[in-house]
Amino acid sequence: MASAALEVWGDPIAHSLSPAMHSAAYAFLGWDWTYGRRRVDESTFATELASLDPRHRGLSLTMPLKHAAFDVASERDAHATVTGAANTLIRSGSGWRAFHTDAGGIVAALREQGVADAGRARIVGAGATASAALVALSELGVREVEVAARRPDAAAGLVLLGERIGVRIAAVPLSGDRPRTVDVTIATLPGGVSVDPRTADALAETGGVLMDVVYGHWPTDLARAWERVGQSARGGEGMLLHQAVLQIRAFATGDVEDPLPREDEVVAVMRRALVGD
């Protein structure tokens, strides 16, 4: 594989675990690729992008750059197109190609938790990650999703997205009456956000399996509630890992569907780098 430079951009970015995972994968595969990090916000994104030399093969994008990455692309994959956001850019002859690998990462992480399909689901929170969570749930066969948010009107975009992908959305207050029973819950609240214990317990009692996308503030209030009722709860490391695998596939071949050489071993190496073993 030819020499290449890749980076993860965002603000803040010092906490990112992506360099450790990507670098471990490249070393295992014997690729002469480097993967760094750069603090970039929306005001500096265009200038920084224009400054890259041809050796920069691609980028991973975190908040607040996912919409800017989508806008700058001349081509977009299906997940980027439907969500209006992108977390991956790859240099192409016509400019930049955009991908959104979070939904695929969520699907793979939930399958590791034993969720092969589900009838009903809940998303807690209505921020940027909730769109990827909704797309992931639709790909697992879910057709009814309750969105529990502090401000139910903030879920308007998710309602529209649900209409486009065939999922019925019910937006409800996070601290409302006893929630309906679902098979799986995806929590997308930012790390460090507090949830009232009574609200958390009500969600846990009816929430099935929990995947909380947080990975730097564990356990969350919701994870503690799930533990209290004896339900399965995992953090966002699985999503982070598997979306990174899809990114590396895209960086390597331009197609997230093309498996990496010895991919099972690559995933194991990346998982060890993620947890610091």
Side-chain angles (χ1 to χ4, degrees), residues 53-123:
D53 62 51
R55 186 171 175 268
H56 282 87
R57 189 184 192 98
L59 299 169
S60 304
L61 293 311
T62 65
M63 295 304 293
L65 301 177
K66 293 183 179 181
H67 294 295
F70 176 89
D71 290 341
V72 78
S74 57
E75 301 175 65
R76 304 174 180 99
D77 79 341
H79 284 171
T81 299
V82 75
T83 60
N87 72 341
T88 310
L89 288 175
I90 300 175
R91 192 185 294 278
S92 71
S94 59
W96 294 96
R97 297 178 61 199
F99 299 80
H100 200 337
T101 65
D102 283 348
I106 292 171
V107 168
L110 285 173
R111 284 176 174 159
E112 283 189 339
Q113 275 187 268
V115 179
D117 54 55
R120 292 178 177 172
R122 177 179 298 119
I123 297 173

Coordinates of all heavy atoms in Angstrom, one line a residue, residues 53-123:
D53 N -1.8 18.6 1.3 CA -1.1 18.2 0.1 C -1.6 16.9 -0.4 O -2.3 16.2 0.3 CB 0.4 18.2 0.3 CG 0.9 17.2 1.3 OD1 0.5 16.0 1.2 OD2 1.6 17.5 2.2
P54 N -1.3 16.5 -1.6 CA -1.8 15.2 -2.2 C -1.5 14.0 -1.4 O -2.2 13.0 -1.6 CB -1.2 15.2 -3.6 CG -0.8 16.6 -3.9 CD -0.5 17.2 -2.6
R55 N -0.5 14.0 -0.5 CA -0.2 12.8 0.3 C -1.4 12.5 1.3 O -1.5 11.4 1.7 CB 1.1 13.0 1.0 CG 1.5 11.7 1.7 CD 3.0 11.8 2.3 NE 3.3 10.7 3.1 CZ 3.1 10.6 4.4 NH1 2.6 11.6 5.1 NH2 3.4 9.5 5.0
H56 N -2.1 13.5 1.6 CA -3.3 13.3 2.6 C -4.4 12.6 1.8 O -5.1 13.2 1.0 CB -3.8 14.7 3.1 CG -2.9 15.2 4.2 ND1 -1.8 16.0 3.9 CD2 -2.9 15.1 5.5 CE1 -1.2 16.4 5.0 NE2 -1.9 15.8 6.0
R57 N -4.5 11.3 2.2 CA -5.5 10.5 1.5 C -6.9 10.7 2.0 O -7.8 10.5 1.2 CB -5.1 9.0 1.8 CG -5.8 7.9 1.0 CD -5.4 6.5 1.4 NE -5.8 5.5 0.5 CZ -5.1 5.0 -0.5 NH1 -3.8 5.4 -0.7 NH2 -5.6 4.0 -1.3
G58 N -7.1 11.0 3.2 CA -8.4 11.2 3.7 C -8.4 11.7 5.2 O -7.4 11.9 5.8
L59 N -9.7 11.9 5.7 CA -9.9 12.5 7.0 C -11.0 11.8 7.7 O -12.0 11.3 7.1 CB -10.2 14.0 6.9 CG -9.2 14.9 6.3 CD1 -9.9 16.3 6.0 CD2 -8.0 15.1 7.1
S60 N -10.9 11.7 9.0 CA -12.0 11.4 9.9 C -12.5 12.7 10.5 O -11.7 13.5 10.9 CB -11.6 10.4 11.0 OG -11.0 9.2 10.5
L61 N -13.8 12.9 10.6 CA -14.4 14.1 11.1 C -15.3 13.9 12.3 O -16.1 13.0 12.3 CB -15.2 14.8 10.0 CG -14.5 15.4 8.8 CD1 -13.3 16.2 9.2 CD2 -14.2 14.3 7.8
T62 N -15.0 14.6 13.4 CA -15.9 14.6 14.6 C -16.6 15.9 14.6 O -16.5 16.8 13.8 CB -15.1 14.3 15.8 OG1 -14.2 15.4 16.1 CG2 -14.2 13.1 15.7
M63 N -17.4 16.1 15.7 CA -18.1 17.3 15.8 C -17.2 18.5 16.1 O -16.1 18.2 16.7 CB -19.1 17.2 17.0 CG -20.2 16.2 16.7 SD -21.2 16.5 15.2 CE -22.0 18.1 15.6
P64 N -17.4 19.6 15.5 CA -18.6 20.1 14.9 C -18.5 20.1 13.4 O -19.1 21.0 12.7 CB -18.8 21.5 15.4 CG -17.3 22.0 15.4 CD -16.5 20.8 15.8
L65 N -17.8 19.2 12.8 CA -17.5 19.2 11.4 C -18.2 18.3 10.4 O -18.0 18.3 9.2 CB -16.0 19.0 11.2 CG -15.0 19.9 11.9 CD1 -13.6 19.5 11.7 CD2 -15.2 21.4 11.5
K66 N -19.2 17.6 11.0 CA -19.8 16.5 10.1 C -20.7 17.1 9.0 O -20.8 16.6 7.9 CB -20.6 15.6 11.0 CG -19.7 14.7 11.9 CD -20.5 13.7 12.7 CE -19.6 12.9 13.5 NZ -20.3 11.8 14.3
H67 N -21.3 18.3 9.3 CA -22.1 18.9 8.3 C -21.2 19.7 7.3 O -21.5 19.7 6.1 CB -23.1 19.9 8.9 CG -24.2 19.2 9.7 ND1 -25.1 18.3 9.2 CD2 -24.4 19.2 11.0 CE1 -25.9 17.9 10.1 NE2 -25.5 18.4 11.3
A68 N -20.1 20.2 7.7 CA -19.2 20.9 6.8 C -18.6 19.9 5.9 O -18.4 20.1 4.7 CB -18.1 21.6 7.6
A69 N -18.3 18.7 6.4 CA -17.7 17.6 5.6 C -18.7 17.2 4.5 O -18.3 16.9 3.3 CB -17.3 16.4 6.4
F70 N -19.9 17.1 4.9 CA -21.0 16.7 3.9 C -21.1 17.8 2.8 O -21.1 17.5 1.6 CB -22.3 16.6 4.6 CG -23.5 16.4 3.7 CD1 -23.9 15.1 3.4 CD2 -24.2 17.4 3.2 CE1 -25.0 14.8 2.6 CE2 -25.3 17.2 2.4 CZ -25.7 15.9 2.1
D71 N -21.0 19.1 3.2 CA -21.2 20.1 2.2 C -20.1 20.2 1.2 O -20.3 20.6 0.1 CB -21.4 21.5 3.0 CG -22.7 21.6 3.7 OD1 -23.6 20.8 3.4 OD2 -22.7 22.4 4.7
V72 N -18.9 19.9 1.6 CA -17.7 20.1 0.8 C -17.6 18.9 -0.2 O -16.8 19.1 -1.2 CB -16.4 20.2 1.6 CG1 -15.9 18.9 2.1 CG2 -15.3 20.9 0.8
A73 N -18.3 17.8 -0.1 CA -18.1 16.7 -0.9 C -18.7 16.8 -2.2 O -19.8 17.3 -2.4 CB -18.6 15.4 -0.1
S74 N -18.1 16.2 -3.2 CA -18.7 16.1 -4.6 C -19.4 14.8 -4.8 O -20.3 14.7 -5.7 CB -17.6 16.3 -5.6 OG -16.6 15.3 -5.5
E75 N -19.1 13.8 -3.9 CA -19.8 12.5 -3.9 C -20.1 12.1 -2.5 O -19.3 12.4 -1.6 CB -19.0 11.4 -4.6 CG -18.6 11.7 -6.0 CD -17.7 10.6 -6.5 OE1 -18.1 9.5 -6.6 OE2 -16.5 10.9 -6.8
R76 N -21.2 11.4 -2.3 CA -21.6 11.0 -0.9 C -22.2 9.6 -0.9 O -22.9 9.3 -1.8 CB -22.7 12.0 -0.3 CG -22.2 13.5 -0.4 CD -23.3 14.4 0.1 NE -22.9 15.8 0.1 CZ -23.2 16.7 -0.9 NH1 -23.9 16.2 -2.0 NH2 -22.8 17.9 -0.9
D77 N -21.9 8.9 0.1 CA -22.5 7.5 0.2 C -23.9 7.6 0.7 O -24.4 8.7 1.0 CB -21.6 6.6 1.0 CG -21.8 6.8 2.5 OD1 -22.3 7.8 3.0 OD2 -21.4 5.8 3.3
A78 N -24.6 6.5 0.7 CA -26.0 6.5 1.1 C -26.3 7.0 2.5 O -27.2 7.7 2.7 CB -26.6 5.1 0.9
H79 N -25.4 6.6 3.4 CA -25.6 7.0 4.8 C -25.4 8.5 5.0 O -26.1 9.2 5.7 CB -24.7 6.2 5.8 CG -25.2 4.9 6.0 ND1 -24.5 3.9 6.7 CD2 -26.4 4.2 5.7 CE1 -25.1 2.8 6.8 NE2 -26.3 2.9 6.2
A80 N -24.4 9.1 4.3 CA -24.2 10.5 4.4 C -25.3 11.2 3.7 O -25.8 12.2 4.2 CB -22.9 10.8 3.7
T81 N -25.8 10.7 2.6 CA -26.9 11.4 1.9 C -28.2 11.4 2.7 O -28.8 12.5 2.8 CB -27.2 10.6 0.6 OG1 -26.0 10.7 -0.3 CG2 -28.3 11.3 -0.2
V82 N -28.5 10.3 3.4 CA -29.8 10.3 4.1 C -29.7 11.1 5.4 O -30.7 11.7 5.8 CB -30.2 8.8 4.3 CG1 -29.4 8.2 5.5 CG2 -31.7 8.8 4.7
T83 N -28.5 11.2 6.0 CA -28.4 11.9 7.3 C -28.0 13.4 7.1 O -28.2 14.2 8.0 CB -27.4 11.2 8.2 OG1 -26.1 11.2 7.6 CG2 -27.8 9.8 8.6
G84 N -27.5 13.7 5.9 CA -27.0 15.1 5.7 C -25.7 15.4 6.5 O -25.4 16.5 6.8
A85 N -25.0 14.3 6.8 CA -23.7 14.5 7.6 C -22.7 13.5 7.1 O -23.1 12.5 6.5 CB -24.0 14.4 9.1
A86 N -21.4 13.8 7.4 CA -20.4 12.8 7.0 C -19.3 12.8 8.1 O -19.0 13.9 8.7 CB -19.8 13.2 5.7
N87 N -18.7 11.7 8.4 CA -17.6 11.6 9.3 C -16.3 11.1 8.6 O -15.3 10.9 9.3 CB -17.9 10.7 10.5 CG -18.0 9.2 10.1 OD1 -18.1 8.9 9.0 ND2 -17.9 8.4 11.1
T88 N -16.3 11.0 7.3 CA -15.2 10.5 6.6 C -15.1 11.2 5.2 O -16.1 11.3 4.5 CB -15.3 9.0 6.3 OG1 -15.6 8.3 7.6 CG2 -14.0 8.4 5.8
L89 N -13.9 11.7 4.9 CA -13.7 12.3 3.6 C -12.5 11.6 2.9 O -11.5 11.3 3.6 CB -13.3 13.8 3.6 CG -14.5 14.7 4.0 CD1 -14.0 16.1 4.1 CD2 -15.6 14.7 2.9
I90 N -12.6 11.2 1.6 CA -11.5 10.6 0.9 C -11.3 11.4 -0.4 O -12.2 11.8 -1.1 CB -11.9 9.2 0.5 CG1 -12.2 8.3 1.8 CG2 -10.8 8.5 -0.3 CD1 -12.6 6.9 1.5
R91 N -10.0 11.7 -0.6 CA -9.7 12.5 -1.8 C -10.0 11.7 -3.1 O -9.7 10.4 -3.1 CB -8.2 12.8 -1.8 CG -7.7 13.8 -2.8 CD -6.2 14.0 -2.8 NE -5.8 14.6 -1.6 CZ -5.8 15.9 -1.3 NH1 -6.3 16.7 -2.2 NH2 -5.3 16.4 -0.2
S92 N -10.6 12.3 -4.0 CA -10.9 11.7 -5.3 C -10.5 12.6 -6.4 O -10.2 13.8 -6.2 CB -12.4 11.3 -5.4 OG -13.2 12.5 -5.5
G93 N -10.6 12.1 -7.7 CA -10.2 12.9 -8.8 C -11.1 14.2 -9.0 O -10.7 15.2 -9.5
S94 N -12.3 14.1 -8.5 CA -13.3 15.2 -8.6 C -13.4 16.1 -7.3 O -14.2 17.0 -7.2 CB -14.6 14.7 -9.0 OG -15.1 13.8 -8.0
G95 N -12.5 15.8 -6.3 CA -12.6 16.5 -5.1 C -12.5 15.6 -3.9 O -11.6 14.9 -3.6
W96 N -13.6 15.6 -3.1 CA -13.7 14.8 -1.9 C -15.0 13.9 -1.9 O -16.1 14.4 -2.3 CB -13.8 15.6 -0.6 CG -12.5 16.4 -0.4 CD1 -12.2 17.7 -0.8 CD2 -11.3 15.9 0.2 NE1 -11.0 18.0 -0.4 CE2 -10.4 17.0 0.2 CE3 -10.9 14.7 0.8 CZ2 -9.1 16.8 0.7 CZ3 -9.6 14.5 1.3 CH2 -8.7 15.6 1.3
R97 N -14.8 12.6 -1.6 CA -16.0 11.7 -1.4 C -16.3 11.6 0.1 O -15.4 11.5 0.9 CB -15.6 10.3 -1.9 CG -15.4 10.3 -3.4 CD -15.0 8.9 -3.9 NE -16.1 7.9 -3.6 CZ -15.9 6.6 -3.5 NH1 -14.7 6.1 -3.7 NH2 -17.0 5.8 -3.3
A98 N -17.6 11.7 0.4 CA -18.0 11.7 1.8 C -18.7 10.3 2.2 O -19.5 9.8 1.4 CB -18.9 12.8 2.1
F99 N -18.4 9.9 3.4 CA -19.0 8.7 3.9 C -19.5 9.0 5.3 O -18.9 9.9 6.0 CB -18.0 7.5 4.0 CG -17.5 7.1 2.7 CD1 -16.5 7.7 2.0 CD2 -18.0 5.9 2.0 CE1 -16.0 7.3 0.8 CE2 -17.5 5.5 0.8 CZ -16.5 6.2 0.2
H100 N -20.5 8.3 5.8 CA -20.9 8.3 7.2 C -20.9 6.9 7.7 O -21.8 6.1 7.4 CB -22.3 9.0 7.3 CG -22.6 9.5 8.7 ND1 -22.0 9.1 9.8 CD2 -23.5 10.5 9.1 CE1 -22.4 9.7 10.9 NE2 -23.4 10.6 10.5
T101 N -20.0 6.6 8.6 CA -19.8 5.2 9.0 C -20.4 4.9 10.4 O -20.3 3.8 10.9 CB -18.3 4.8 9.0 OG1 -17.6 5.6 10.0 CG2 -17.7 5.0 7.6
D102 N -20.9 6.0 11.1 CA -21.5 5.8 12.4 C -22.6 4.8 12.5 O -22.7 3.9 13.4 CB -21.9 7.1 13.0 CG -20.8 8.0 13.5 OD1 -19.6 7.5 13.6 OD2 -21.0 9.1 13.8
A103 N -23.5 4.8 11.5 CA -24.7 3.9 11.5 C -24.2 2.5 11.4 O -24.7 1.6 12.1 CB -25.6 4.2 10.4
G104 N -23.3 2.2 10.5 CA -22.7 0.9 10.4 C -22.0 0.4 11.6 O -22.1 -0.8 12.0
G105 N -21.3 1.3 12.3 CA -20.7 1.0 13.6 C -21.7 0.6 14.6 O -21.4 -0.3 15.4
I106 N -22.8 1.4 14.7 CA -23.8 1.0 15.7 C -24.4 -0.3 15.4 O -24.7 -1.1 16.3 CB -24.9 2.1 15.7 CG1 -24.3 3.5 16.2 CG2 -26.1 1.7 16.5 CD1 -25.2 4.7 16.1
V107 N -24.7 -0.6 14.1 CA -25.3 -1.9 13.8 C -24.4 -3.0 14.3 O -24.8 -4.0 14.9 CB -25.5 -2.0 12.3 CG1 -25.8 -3.5 11.9 CG2 -26.6 -1.1 11.8
A108 N -23.1 -2.9 14.0 CA -22.1 -4.0 14.3 C -22.0 -4.1 15.9 O -21.9 -5.2 16.4 CB -20.7 -3.7 13.7
A109 N -22.0 -3.0 16.6 CA -21.9 -3.0 18.0 C -23.1 -3.6 18.6 O -23.0 -4.4 19.6 CB -21.7 -1.6 18.5
L110 N -24.3 -3.3 18.1 CA -25.5 -3.9 18.7 C -25.6 -5.4 18.4 O -26.0 -6.2 19.2 CB -26.8 -3.3 18.1 CG -27.1 -1.9 18.6 CD1 -28.2 -1.3 17.8 CD2 -27.4 -1.9 20.1
R111 N -25.1 -5.8 17.2 CA -25.0 -7.3 17.0 C -24.1 -8.0 17.9 O -24.4 -9.1 18.3 CB -24.6 -7.5 15.5 CG -25.8 -7.2 14.5 CD -25.4 -7.3 13.1 NE -26.5 -7.2 12.2 CZ -26.4 -6.9 10.9 NH1 -25.3 -6.7 10.4 NH2 -27.5 -6.8 10.2
E112 N -23.0 -7.3 18.3 CA -22.1 -7.9 19.3 C -22.9 -8.1 20.7 O -22.5 -8.9 21.5 CB -20.9 -7.1 19.5 CG -19.9 -7.2 18.4 CD -18.6 -6.5 18.7 OE1 -18.5 -5.6 19.6 OE2 -17.6 -6.9 18.1
Q113 N -23.8 -7.2 20.9 CA -24.6 -7.3 22.2 C -25.8 -8.3 22.0 O -26.6 -8.5 23.0 CB -25.2 -5.9 22.5 CG -24.3 -5.1 23.3 CD -25.0 -3.8 23.8 OE1 -25.0 -2.8 23.1 NE2 -25.6 -3.9 25.0
G114 N -25.9 -9.0 20.9 CA -26.9 -10.0 20.7 C -28.2 -9.5 20.1 O -29.2 -10.2 20.0
V115 N -28.2 -8.2 19.6 CA -29.3 -7.6 18.9 C -29.2 -7.9 17.4 O -28.5 -7.2 16.7 CB -29.5 -6.1 19.2 CG1 -30.7 -5.5 18.5 CG2 -29.5 -5.9 20.7
A116 N -29.9 -8.9 17.0 CA -29.9 -9.2 15.5 C -31.1 -8.5 14.8 O -31.0 -8.1 13.7 CB -30.1 -10.7 15.3
D117 N -32.2 -8.3 15.5 CA -33.3 -7.5 15.0 C -34.1 -7.1 16.2 O -33.9 -7.5 17.3 CB -34.2 -8.4 14.1 CG -34.6 -9.7 14.7 OD1 -35.2 -9.6 15.8 OD2 -34.4 -10.7 14.1
A118 N -35.0 -6.1 16.0 CA -35.8 -5.6 17.1 C -37.1 -5.1 16.6 O -37.2 -4.6 15.4 CB -35.1 -4.5 17.9
G119 N -38.2 -5.2 17.3 CA -39.5 -4.7 16.9 C -39.6 -3.2 17.2 O -39.9 -2.4 16.3
R120 N -39.4 -2.8 18.4 CA -39.5 -1.4 18.8 C -38.2 -1.0 19.5 O -37.5 -1.8 20.1 CB -40.6 -1.2 19.8 CG -42.0 -1.4 19.3 CD -43.0 -1.3 20.4 NE -44.4 -1.4 19.9 CZ -45.4 -1.4 20.7 NH1 -45.3 -1.3 22.0 NH2 -46.7 -1.5 20.1
A121 N -37.9 0.3 19.4 CA -36.6 0.8 20.0 C -36.9 2.2 20.5 O -37.9 2.9 20.2 CB -35.5 0.8 18.9
R122 N -35.9 2.7 21.3 CA -35.9 4.0 21.9 C -34.6 4.7 21.6 O -33.5 4.0 21.8 CB -36.2 4.0 23.4 CG -36.2 5.4 24.0 CD -36.6 5.3 25.5 NE -37.9 4.8 25.7 CZ -38.2 3.7 26.4 NH1 -37.2 3.0 26.9 NH2 -39.4 3.3 26.5
I123 N -34.6 5.9 21.2 CA -33.4 6.8 21.2 C -33.6 7.8 22.3 O -34.6 8.5 22.3 CB -33.2 7.4 19.8 CG1 -33.0 6.3 18.7 CG2 -32.0 8.4 19.8 CD1 -33.0 6.9 17.3

